[in-house]
Short mmCIF file of all heavy atoms in Angstrom, two decimals:
data_model
loop_
_atom_site.label_atom_id
_atom_site.label_comp_id
_atom_site.label_asym_id
_atom_site.label_seq_id
_atom_site.Cartn_x
_atom_site.Cartn_y
_atom_site.Cartn_z
N GLY H 134 52.16 112.54 115.61
CA GLY H 134 50.89 113.17 115.26
C GLY H 134 50.27 113.86 116.46
O GLY H 134 50.96 114.32 117.37
N ILE H 135 48.94 113.88 116.49
CA ILE H 135 48.23 114.62 117.53
C ILE H 135 48.53 114.06 118.92
O ILE H 135 48.56 114.80 119.91
CB ILE H 135 46.71 114.61 117.25
CG1 ILE H 135 46.01 115.73 118.03
CG2 ILE H 135 46.11 113.27 117.53
CD1 ILE H 135 46.23 117.11 117.50
N THR H 136 48.79 112.75 119.01
CA THR H 136 49.09 112.14 120.32
C THR H 136 50.42 112.63 120.86
O THR H 136 50.53 113.03 122.02
CB THR H 136 49.09 110.60 120.19
OG1 THR H 136 47.89 110.18 119.55
CG2 THR H 136 49.18 109.96 121.56
N GLY H 137 51.45 112.58 120.01
CA GLY H 137 52.76 113.07 120.43
C GLY H 137 52.73 114.56 120.72
O GLY H 137 53.37 115.04 121.67
N LEU H 138 52.00 115.31 119.89
CA LEU H 138 51.87 116.75 120.12
C LEU H 138 51.22 117.04 121.46
O LEU H 138 51.62 117.96 122.18
CB LEU H 138 51.05 117.39 119.00
CG LEU H 138 51.73 117.55 117.64
CD1 LEU H 138 50.72 118.00 116.59
CD2 LEU H 138 52.88 118.56 117.73
N THR H 139 50.20 116.26 121.81
CA THR H 139 49.53 116.45 123.09
C THR H 139 50.49 116.24 124.24
O THR H 139 50.52 117.01 125.20
CB THR H 139 48.33 115.48 123.20
OG1 THR H 139 47.41 115.76 122.14
CG2 THR H 139 47.63 115.65 124.53
N ALA H 140 51.30 115.19 124.16
CA ALA H 140 52.27 114.91 125.22
C ALA H 140 53.33 116.00 125.31
O ALA H 140 53.61 116.54 126.39
CB ALA H 140 52.92 113.55 124.99
N LEU H 141 53.92 116.35 124.16
CA LEU H 141 55.01 117.33 124.15
C LEU H 141 54.54 118.72 124.54
O LEU H 141 55.12 119.37 125.42
CB LEU H 141 55.66 117.37 122.77
CG LEU H 141 56.78 118.40 122.57
CD1 LEU H 141 57.91 118.18 123.56
CD2 LEU H 141 57.31 118.34 121.13
N LEU H 142 53.48 119.20 123.90
CA LEU H 142 53.00 120.55 124.19
C LEU H 142 52.37 120.63 125.57
O LEU H 142 52.47 121.66 126.24
CB LEU H 142 52.01 120.99 123.11
CG LEU H 142 52.63 121.22 121.73
CD1 LEU H 142 51.55 121.42 120.67
CD2 LEU H 142 53.57 122.41 121.75
N GLY H 143 51.75 119.56 126.02
CA GLY H 143 51.20 119.56 127.37
C GLY H 143 52.29 119.76 128.41
O GLY H 143 52.16 120.55 129.34
N ILE H 144 53.39 119.04 128.23
CA ILE H 144 54.52 119.16 129.16
C ILE H 144 55.16 120.54 129.08
O ILE H 144 55.45 121.17 130.09
CB ILE H 144 55.54 118.04 128.89
CG1 ILE H 144 54.95 116.70 129.34
CG2 ILE H 144 56.87 118.31 129.59
CD1 ILE H 144 55.73 115.49 128.89
N ARG H 145 55.34 121.03 127.85
CA ARG H 145 56.01 122.32 127.68
C ARG H 145 55.13 123.50 128.11
O ARG H 145 55.64 124.48 128.67
CB ARG H 145 56.44 122.49 126.23
CG ARG H 145 57.64 121.63 125.86
CD ARG H 145 58.11 121.87 124.44
NE ARG H 145 59.38 121.20 124.19
CZ ARG H 145 59.99 121.17 123.01
NH1 ARG H 145 59.44 121.78 121.96
NH2 ARG H 145 61.15 120.54 122.86
#
Side-chain angles (χ1 to χ4, degrees):
I135 199 74
T136 309
L138 286 171
T139 299
L141 177 58
L142 292 170
I144 289 169
R145 286 183 171 176

